């Protein structure tokens, strides 16, 4: 009977693919990665399951009380005779999945202390070596090279080429951090990319990348997107720069300004030495006159 009813359910086109809006209750994440929950509204409820392959693609973390829109098909679990919705996709109702995931991770890491000012490392005032982790073909690396060359050409730049969006980007960015931490030691690291959509910048909201930045011993500057873009990496890094260009300006001094300051210091030292010399000369003359008077007596 259960098998027959299952066949009836799966042959009904309206039930094979539909969207249901409701509130999550009785949420459970199995060790297998499958998600089990109840989807309910003020009138009724329906059991739901989302298998691990689909669950791993979620950008946010479902929980009890969250209102969602679930997409999937209705079928019968023959063993128990219960019907349920087999969810393939879900999204928060009323707020974007990416925004919700961002806020959830931000709150979690903040509670753990990953954003604490006490953990921030100071940037070197005059770095000799700078590690850059970004795309080798993007505008970000060109901006960093040009500005560093203009402001402080003595600094040596080391580029670790990495993807900055897409599935492989997270792993490559983390490998870049490990490379500069373990193999090619540098005084400071710039990690980032130019602007883009929220999806383009999403890898810089990665929890694994955030923890790798937090664990690093080298000072790190996060330079992701445009001035209005904020990512999790920005909060974890030792300093945040609004753009890659601004990161280069933040990391290296301006040689023109440095020369002006050196000239000013040299002038000040010259004045101080001159004043000291004049004071000593006056002291010597005073002593000479005093000695001459003493001899006359």
């Amino acid at each position: 009977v259960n098998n027959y009813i299952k066949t009836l359910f799966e042959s009904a086109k309206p039930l094979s693919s539909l969207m249901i809006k409701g509130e999550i209750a009785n949420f459970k994440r199995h060790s297998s990665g499958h998600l089990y929950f109840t989807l309910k509204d003020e009138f009724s409820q329906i059991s739901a399951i989302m298998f691990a392959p689909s669950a791993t693609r979620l950008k946010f973390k479902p929980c009890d009380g969250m209102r969602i829109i679930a997409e999937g098909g209705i079928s019968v679990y023959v063993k128990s005779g219960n019907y349920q919705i087999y969810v393939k996709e879900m999204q928060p109702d009323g707020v974007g999945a990416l925004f919700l995931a961002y806020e959830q991770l931000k709150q979690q890491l903040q509670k753990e202390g990953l954003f604490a000012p006490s953990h921030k490392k100071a940037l070197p005032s005059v770095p000799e070596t700078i590690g850059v982790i970004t795309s080798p073909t993007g505008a970000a690396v060109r901006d960093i090279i040009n500005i560093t060359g203009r402001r402080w050409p003595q600094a040596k730049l080391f580029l670790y080429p990495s993807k900055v969006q897409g599935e492989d980007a997270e792993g490559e960015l983390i490998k870049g951090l490990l490379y500069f931490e373990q193999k090619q030691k540098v005084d400071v690291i710039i990690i980032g990319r130019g602007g883009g959509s929220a999806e383009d910048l999403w890898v810089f909201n990665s929890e694994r990348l955030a923890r790798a930045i937090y664990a690093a011993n080298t000072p790190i500057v996060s330079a992701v997107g445009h001035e209005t873009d904020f990512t999790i990496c920005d909060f974890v890094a030792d300093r945040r720069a609004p753009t890659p260009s601004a990161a280069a300006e933040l990391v290296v001094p301006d040689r023109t300004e440095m020369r002006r300051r050196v000239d000013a210091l040299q002038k000040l030292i010259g004045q101080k030495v001159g004043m000291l010399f004049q004071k000593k000369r006056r002291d010597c003359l005073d002593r000479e006159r005093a000695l001459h008077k003493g001899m006359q007596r």
Side-chain angles (χ1 to χ4, degrees), residues 156-167:
K156 292 182 179 179
L157 289 175
F158 296 90
L159 173 65
Y160 186 92
S162 171
K163 291 181 180 178
V164 290
Q165 67 184 72
E167 293 183 1

Side-chain angles (χ1 to χ4, degrees), residues 180-201:
F180 287 125
E181 282 281 289
Q182 301 172 359
K183 296 182 179 180
Q184 178 60 63
K185 298 283 187 177
V186 292
D187 296 326
V188 63
I189 297 170
I190 298 174
I191 183 171
R193 55 157 291 159
S197 65
E199 290 80 5
D200 293 339
L201 306 181

Side-chain angles (χ1 to χ4, degrees), residues 12-237:
K13 275 192 173 183
L15 298 181
S16 63
S17 179
L18 74 168
M19 301 177 75
I20 300 179
K21 181 188 296 187
E23 180 181 311
I24 294 177
N26 306 316
F27 180 82
K28 180 181 179 183
R29 185 185 297 272
H30 194 269
S31 58
S32 63
H34 303 331
L35 308 183
Y36 298 90
F37 55 97
T38 300
L39 200 56
K40 65 176 186 176
D41 58 19
E42 60 269 33
F43 303 110
S44 60
Q45 64 183 35
I46 186 173
S47 297
I49 179 173
M50 189 176 205
F51 292 125
S54 297
T56 56
R57 295 196 299 268
L58 290 176
K59 300 295 185 183
F60 65 98
K61 295 179 180 179
C63 62
D64 285 340
M66 182 181 293
R67 295 190 61 82
I68 66 164
I69 300 172
E71 181 180 351
I74 308 294
S75 187
V76 174
Y77 182 49
V78 174
K79 189 173 182 179
S80 65
N82 295 326
Y83 73 87
Q84 56 194 353
I85 179 171
Y86 290 78
V87 181
K88 295 180 180 178
E89 302 281 349
M90 75 166 78
Q91 61 185 18
D93 181 19
V95 64
L98 291 180
F99 177 76
L100 179 59
Y102 171 84
E103 287 297 325
Q104 287 178 333
L105 181 59
K106 181 181 173 184
Q107 292 176 16
Q108 175 189 335
L109 298 183
Q110 188 169 21
K111 287 180 181 178
E112 293 182 30
L114 269 70
F115 305 162
S118 59
H119 185 75
K120 307 294 185 185
K121 296 177 284 295
L123 303 185
S125 56
V126 184
E128 296 181 3
T129 54
I130 302 168
V132 180
I133 308 172
T134 191
S135 168
T137 58
V141 69
R142 294 195 298 272
D143 291 343
I144 291 171
I145 291 172
N146 291 338
I147 291 174
T148 303
R150 185 182 74 243
R151 287 173 63 89
W152 198 252
Q154 298 93 322
K156 292 182 179 179
L157 289 175
F158 296 90
L159 173 65
Y160 186 92
S162 171
K163 291 181 180 178
V164 290
Q165 67 184 72
E167 293 183 1
D168 300 328
E170 180 189 57
E172 291 187 9
L173 291 168
I174 293 173
K175 286 180 181 177
L177 288 173
L178 295 176
Y179 173 78
F180 287 125
E181 282 281 289
Q182 301 172 359
K183 296 182 179 180
Q184 178 60 63
K185 298 283 187 177
V186 292
D187 296 326
V188 63
I189 297 170
I190 298 174
I191 183 171
R193 55 157 291 159
S197 65
E199 290 80 5
D200 293 339
L201 306 181
W202 188 253
V203 66
F204 293 94
N205 292 318
S206 154
E207 181 177 352
R208 286 182 59 218
L209 180 59
R211 294 189 183 281
I213 291 174
Y214 181 79
N217 295 312
T218 308
I220 295 175
V221 176
S222 174
V224 183
H226 299 306
E227 293 190 19
T228 56
D229 297 317
F230 279 85
T231 66
I232 297 297
C233 286
D234 292 331
F235 295 110
V236 180

Side-chain angles (χ1 to χ4, degrees), residues 1-9:
V1 170
N2 285 348
N3 275 307
Y4 178 70
I5 294 174
K6 180 180 180 180
T7 302
L8 292 178
F9 269 77

